[in-house]
Amino acid sequence: MSAATLSAGRQARLMQVLLAPVISEKSTFVADKHNQVAFRVAPDATKPEIKAAVEFMFKVEVEGVTVSNVRGKAKRFGQFPGRRRNWRKAYVRLKAGQEINFAEQAEAK
């Protein structure tokens, strides 16, 4: 999907869907073994929106999207019990030969 074919409102929505990449031991393992990348996404994001956002922002082809809702942990804040916020995680499977390298893109900007 090219930037020229998307309306301004649609482009703005796609820019808000992906919040951050998830960099962890598990996400690195999944990236190497299954050609997937993990992202923290907006709580109301749908699979088609996530796919369109990744293709639009990183100029790659997406094969599939798997989404999971991560429950916030129960924590203590001093003497008061509390809870961390719930969040949504998306595993984006890229087509063969496609790659997203966050280190190179950070240097380019």
Side-chain angles (χ1 to χ4, degrees):
M1 205 175 283
S2 67
T5 61
L6 294 175
S7 68
R10 178 91 169 127
Q11 283 184 12
R13 171 63 182 159
L14 293 180
M15 295 299 279
Q16 294 174 349
V17 169
L18 300 179
L19 302 179
V22 176
I23 308 298
S24 65
E25 191 173 341
K26 180 180 178 181
S27 67
T28 305
F29 174 77
V30 168
D32 292 340
K33 185 163 181 147
H34 301 291
N35 198 24
Q36 290 182 336
V37 183
F39 289 100
R40 189 175 197 141
V41 297
D44 60 342
T46 63
K47 288 182 181 185
E49 280 182 331
I50 296 167
K51 179 179 179 178
V54 171
E55 289 178 345
F56 173 68
M57 293 176 71
F58 298 104
K59 310 295 188 250
V60 294
E61 294 182 42
V62 174
E63 188 175 319
V65 177
T66 304
V67 176
S68 68
N69 292 314
V70 180
R71 295 206 35 165
K73 292 182 179 180
K75 293 284 188 179
R76 292 183 57 85
F77 300 102
Q79 83 182 62
F80 304 105
R83 234 190 135 68
R84 289 202 179 153
R85 190 173 285 173
N86 296 336
W87 56 286
R88 193 167 170 93
K89 178 168 46 174
Y91 290 101
V92 178
R93 188 171 56 254
L94 303 176
K95 290 189 177 177
Q98 301 287 311
E99 183 179 279
I100 296 175
N101 192 338
F102 296 108
E104 286 178 4
Q105 291 181 352
E107 292 172 6
K109 291 184 179 179

